[in-house]
Amino acid sequence: MGTMNISLPDSLKAFVDQQVEQGRYGTSSEYVRELIRKDQDRQQLRDLLLTGAASAPSVVADAQYFDGLRTRVRQSGGS
């Protein structure tokens, strides 16, 4: 595992310390890692949404489309 040192203004350091003191995280490093993971997830979701928005629509998702899905589920033995 790599190491990274960061500098924070006192107000941000106090906030991070508060998160640890309240028991939400064991260490300030855990808190920062969690923030980075959440940002990675947010970026991945954004990329997927942009890819979907740029793609051509394949089927119109109207009432008839959903009725057909329900029919297929019923015929396959689903609820």
Side-chain angles (χ1 to χ4, degrees):
M1 183 180 298
T3 300
M4 177 185 289
N5 295 313
I6 60 170
S7 298
L8 297 174
D10 290 339
S11 61
L12 290 181
K13 184 181 180 320
F15 180 79
V16 171
D17 291 343
Q18 182 181 22
Q19 301 307 302
V20 174
E21 288 168 11
Q22 291 177 353
R24 294 185 177 137
Y25 301 92
T27 65
S28 57
S29 292
E30 285 180 17
Y31 180 69
V32 171
R33 283 192 295 268
E34 179 68 15
L35 290 177
I36 293 169
R37 284 187 202 101
K38 286 181 179 181
D39 195 44
Q40 285 176 322
D41 290 346
R42 183 196 58 80
Q43 273 188 318
Q44 183 181 18
L45 177 59
R46 183 178 186 277
D47 291 344
L48 290 170
L49 289 170
L50 289 173
T51 299
S55 68
S58 58
V59 198
V60 175
D62 57 8
Q64 183 179 0
Y65 170 80
F66 287 105
D67 287 343
L69 283 178
R70 286 185 200 95
T71 301
R72 286 183 15 220
V73 168
R74 286 186 199 108
Q75 290 173 348
S76 69
S79 321

